[in-house]
Amino acid sequence: MRKRYYLLLLVFNIPFLLEAQSNKISIDAQLDVKNRSIEICQDIFYVNESDSVLNHIYLHNWANAYKDRTTPLSKRLIENYDKSLYFARLKKRGYSKIDSIYSDTQTIQYQVLQDSVDVLKLTLHQPLHPRDSISIKARYTVKVPLDIFTRYGYNPNNYNLRFWYLAPAVYSNHWEVMNNLDMDDLYINPTYYHINFKVPIGYTLNSDLNQETTILENHILYQLKGKNRTDIELNIQLNRNYATYDSKPTQVVTNLPSKNLTVNIKTDVLSRQLDFIENFLGVYPHEKILVSDITYLKNPVYGL
């Protein structure tokens, strides 16, 4: 939600300042293009910043929203007269298969909320007191759906990933549990992310995180880091069409088509747009911003 507004004014969106948080998420992921899936090992360092004692923690599992015709996402699309997911064959759908969730070598019991297959309820072994923390480890597989339902997912040689990992819900006197309804509005606390993502040789990963790459025998390892982040959007593609513009004060990573202008002219235009937005809204809190054609198509701006 936050990044979407900023992009709507850049081309064009409105951000608001992020508060520092202590939550951390570490992910080791590997893309399996043959099976159209992602193998994930994830660590969640969760801090109870409320004044309540917590006996449960809720995790958003939005990758599971594409599982079948009974999900809140499928019902929502039907309300909009979109039957694509409701009648989709199994091979076109996606899901999240949980292998294990544990803490300190102890298995954590979890359950899927009734009528909400995209939310997990974890029962803690011990109450989590205010300002205390817990480290939760999860192993799971995400089957990436075709992108015909929400534009996020797979199309030939291209993976557009958003809401693809487990994300803890926010507790503010009560749990702010949300379903994936294709609104791009997941509410989570700003978090520190450290992601190691392996993709096959020949594929390129695009993001707005700080990244380093290492070439392995059969894969390329992308090491991604970002702090005070609420939404990690990634693009993995075989035929690269993203470009990075060294605009000031923020680099822009985008695959939006543009007129036949030189790189220098495009960079200058972006810098002036960013400067205009900064004067009215303040500095964007990150070094880079990802502007995908999906974001623009879902939030088109006319008349500019």
Side-chain angles (χ1 to χ4, degrees):
M1 177 70 79
R2 296 182 176 93
K3 189 174 73 173
R4 181 179 65 191
Y5 285 148
Y6 192 81
L7 297 178
L8 281 174
L9 278 190
L10 172 59
V11 313
F12 306 81
N13 257 305
I14 302 176
F16 54 87
L17 296 178
L18 305 176
E19 299 178 356
Q21 296 290 327
S22 300
N23 290 352
K24 299 180 179 66
I25 289 180
S26 298
I27 296 175
D28 289 323
Q30 180 166 330
L31 176 64
D32 182 347
V33 296
K34 181 179 179 180
N35 294 307
R36 209 181 74 221
S37 63
I38 308 171
E39 299 293 331
I40 299 175
C41 295
Q42 179 174 345
D43 285 351
I44 301 172
F45 182 78
Y46 179 83
V47 179
N48 180 6
E49 298 182 347
S50 73
D51 295 325
S52 303
V53 177
L54 304 180
N55 294 299
H56 303 89
I57 290 179
Y58 290 84
L59 300 180
H60 292 112
N61 184 24
W62 279 18
N64 209 41
Y66 304 88
K67 182 179 180 180
D68 55 42
R69 63 178 58 182
T70 67
T71 69
L73 175 60
S74 181
K75 295 177 181 178
R76 170 72 178 191
L77 294 178
I78 282 289
E79 291 176 357
N80 291 336
Y81 306 101
D82 183 346
K83 303 177 183 179
S84 59
L85 182 57
Y86 190 86
F87 290 109
R89 296 182 180 180
L90 180 62
K91 65 180 182 179
K92 294 183 178 181
R93 297 178 180 273
Y95 56 81
S96 176
K97 179 180 180 295
I98 307 296
D99 295 322
S100 63
I101 300 179
Y102 56 97
S103 176
D104 296 330
T105 71
Q106 288 185 294
T107 299
I108 296 179
Q109 299 298 320
Y110 67 90
Q111 65 183 94
V112 179
L113 295 189
Q114 186 175 6
D115 299 325
S116 294
V117 299
D118 51 1
V119 178
L120 300 176
K121 179 182 180 181
L122 278 57
T123 302
L124 303 180
H125 296 293
Q126 297 177 347
L128 189 64
H129 294 272
R131 260 57 70 186
D132 283 352
S133 61
I134 184 174
S135 181
I136 300 170
K137 301 180 183 296
R139 294 179 179 272
Y140 57 102
T141 301
V142 169
K143 179 76 170 184
V144 181
L146 268 63
D147 68 355
I148 57 177
F149 311 119
T150 64
R151 291 196 173 99
Y152 298 116
Y154 167 82
N155 62 54
N157 303 322
N158 197 30
Y159 292 82
N160 291 297
L161 305 179
R162 194 173 185 186
F163 312 122
W164 52 279
Y165 53 88
L166 299 177
V170 174
Y171 184 87
S172 178
N173 297 322
H174 66 279
W175 285 103
E176 303 281 356
V177 176
M178 307 175 69
N179 295 117
N180 185 351
L181 302 177
D182 191 28
M183 301 289 288
D184 297 348
D185 59 351
L186 180 58
Y187 173 40
I188 61 176
N189 282 326
T191 300
Y192 173 83
Y193 287 89
H194 184 183
I195 302 173
N196 293 322
F197 209 123
K198 290 182 180 179
V199 302
I201 295 288
Y203 282 81
T204 301
L205 186 150
N206 304 287
S207 78
D208 57 1
L209 300 176
N210 297 324
Q211 69 179 46
E212 296 180 358
T213 59
T214 303
I215 299 179
L216 307 176
E217 184 176 356
N218 297 314
H219 295 84
I220 300 176
L221 172 63
Y222 284 85
Q223 296 175 293
L224 312 172
K225 294 182 180 180
K227 63 181 180 179
N228 289 339
R229 296 281 183 162
T230 59
D231 180 9
I232 304 301
E233 182 179 357
L234 303 178
N235 168 269
I236 303 172
Q237 56 185 187
L238 190 58
N239 300 316
R240 182 171 182 175
N241 68 344
Y242 272 79
T244 299
Y245 297 95
D246 293 323
S247 47
K248 304 296 181 183
T250 305
Q251 282 188 331
V252 176
V253 183
T254 183
N255 68 336
L256 279 175
S258 59
K259 296 181 179 180
N260 188 23
L261 303 175
T262 66
V263 173
N264 289 337
I265 293 177
K266 293 178 183 178
T267 303
D268 180 65
V269 170
L270 288 170
S271 295
R272 285 187 279 128
Q273 289 178 330
L274 289 163
D275 184 63
F276 175 83
I277 295 173
E278 179 181 325
N279 288 336
F280 284 89
L281 302 175
V283 179
Y284 185 67
H286 306 299
E287 297 177 1
K288 295 192 293 184
I289 184 169
L290 182 72
V291 186
S292 70
D293 55 0
I294 294 177
T295 302
Y296 185 75
L297 290 172
K298 297 185 77 168
N299 302 277
V301 176
Y302 300 99
L304 295 179

